[in-house]
Amino acid sequence: MSLPVSPRRVARTVGIAVTVALALCLVAPLVVTAAGAFVRADWYGQRSEGAEAVGTLGLFRYVLGLWSGALVTSLPESSSASPRRTRASRRSSPASRAWVR
Amino acid sequence: MWPLVRLAAGAFASPGAFLQVLAAGRYRTSLVNSLALSTAAAFVSVAIAIVPAWVFARERFPARNLARTAVSLPLTFSGVLVGFLVIVMLGRIGAVPKLAGFLTGRELFAGSAYTLAGLFLAYLYFEIPRAVMTLEAAFRHFPPELDAAARSLGAGPIARLLHVTLPYAAPALYSTLAVTFSASMGSFGVALVLARRFTVAPLEIYTELTAFLNDAVAGALCIALAALTFGVDRLFARRAA
């Protein structure tokens, strides 16, 4: 007597399901974290008053204004070409001033 | 070898450094914690990785490349980023406790990111992709004729798994255990972010170097950590051979 579904087919389906579930589990933290930069939700951490006031675009502008130099320096190819920014110059960037204001 | 020689010279210049590291106390505790955590992370990540690695190596299905990219994505993350992700999910006001609170009324797992279980999950987060990718490469070379021959001789799926697939894959499994164990032993960024109530060896080395400028103890800890890692790796390599 043969089974209506072959064991090979069942094993394949279960294996694919396990693999997709693992992929979702590994991506979920990244999705939640990335969503936190765009979504205004009380459950996602305790946002600072500045972030609430400035909004998502301002938040990214602030981060890039403050840390773009460090981000560029993190790229191995461009590390030698990128000028290092001092703390004072970071603070005086337009985005930082907008943030403080 | 020059940095290693310098490190060893610094550690051996102060004879008490090794005694301090090996005596009961926070240094030895950190080494034991690292050893236990890394061993557990290696075994669990390899166990979890077997099925996805086999599927990626042998099966074709829609969105296979997307799933493979998603699984390998954490390999590109730094340890600090992995620690941050775990805090976002399992911190005191993390996504999982909030979801549990929404579903059950109780915020389960709140703050568990800072426990040993949280650090263990963080280790798994970056060790599972490493194990999947390593095992997938090994499974690609598994000859399907062996499985077909066993099937034609009447062996069922369990018998084929136990007597054909696993023995053939054993060297790859031991090699993957060695790779994941070594990576876990040296993991620093994750522990720096998450380890609040306990310590691991890389954190102690960092503290000795930066806070106390104690080169001798830091060097002795480095050598003890390297010796432990090398010893366990040799055990796995011997089993693989």
Side-chain angles (χ1 to χ4, degrees):
Chain A
M1 194 180 103
S2 63
L3 293 170
V5 182
S6 71
R8 164 90 179 86
R9 196 177 175 83
V10 172
R12 181 180 186 272
T13 307
V14 171
I16 291 173
V18 168
T19 303
V20 171
L22 178 69
L24 290 175
C25 286
L26 290 174
V27 166
L30 190 66
V31 172
V32 171
T33 305
F38 298 96
V39 177
R40 291 279 174 278
D42 289 338
W43 63 266
Y44 185 77
Q46 292 175 330
R47 284 183 168 277
S48 66
E49 290 177 6
E52 287 291 346
V54 174
T56 298
L57 194 63
L59 192 64
F60 275 97
R61 201 180 295 135
Y62 166 73
V63 169
L64 289 176
L66 196 61
W67 296 110
S68 56
L71 288 170
V72 171
T73 310
S74 295
L75 298 172
E77 290 82 8
S78 56
S79 60
S80 57
S82 66
R84 290 183 67 83
R85 298 178 68 189
T86 62
R87 186 178 285 267
S89 70
R90 283 191 209 126
R91 282 194 175 143
S92 64
S93 69
S96 306
R97 286 198 297 274
W99 176 264
V100 172
R101 190 164 60 236
Chain B
M1 290 296 286
W2 178 241
L4 203 60
V5 172
R6 286 278 303 187
L7 190 77
F12 284 107
S14 172
F18 278 99
L19 290 177
Q20 257 183 287
V21 167
L22 297 176
R26 60 179 296 129
Y27 303 129
R28 196 171 75 180
T29 304
S30 71
L31 285 170
V32 172
N33 285 349
S34 281
L35 185 65
L37 201 59
S38 302
T39 307
F43 275 98
V44 174
S45 59
V46 168
I48 291 174
I50 289 174
V51 170
W54 183 264
V55 167
F56 286 138
R58 307 300 295 271
E59 304 292 348
R60 296 287 178 271
F61 57 96
R64 174 185 174 275
N65 287 340
L66 190 64
R68 196 170 178 278
T69 304
V71 169
S72 60
L73 197 60
L75 279 177
T76 63
F77 296 165
S78 69
V80 173
L81 178 55
V82 172
F84 178 56
L85 294 179
V86 173
I87 289 173
V88 167
M89 297 303 283
L90 292 168
R92 292 187 182 89
I93 44 175
V96 172
K98 287 294 171 191
L99 183 65
F102 178 73
L103 294 174
T104 67
R106 286 184 60 205
E107 293 194 352
L108 304 169
F109 308 114
S112 56
Y114 306 104
T115 64
L116 192 61
L119 189 60
F120 179 68
L121 283 178
Y123 274 41
L124 285 187
Y125 188 77
F126 65 82
E127 291 305 358
I128 288 174
R130 199 184 309 274
V132 170
M133 295 301 126
T134 312
L135 281 177
E136 183 196 345
F139 287 160
R140 278 183 191 280
H141 299 292
F142 182 83
E145 300 83 20
L146 282 181
D147 193 59
R151 198 184 318 159
S152 70
L153 291 171
I158 304 294
R160 292 204 305 275
L161 178 73
L162 292 178
H163 300 297
V164 179
T165 309
L166 284 182
Y168 191 88
L173 291 174
Y174 284 119
S175 301
T176 310
L177 278 173
V179 168
T180 50
F181 173 79
S182 304
S184 297
M185 283 294 273
S187 173
F188 170 69
V190 173
L192 184 68
V193 175
L194 296 179
R196 294 280 185 275
R197 300 168 193 167
F198 50 88
T199 182
V200 289
L203 275 188
E204 284 302 320
I205 295 167
Y206 171 74
T207 308
E208 289 302 319
L209 269 180
T210 57
F212 305 122
L213 301 175
N214 194 348
D215 287 0
V217 169
L221 263 172
C222 282
I223 290 171
L225 185 68
L228 266 177
T229 309
F230 184 73
V232 175
D233 272 355
R234 287 303 305 160
L235 278 179
F236 287 138
R238 193 175 294 172
R239 298 287 296 180

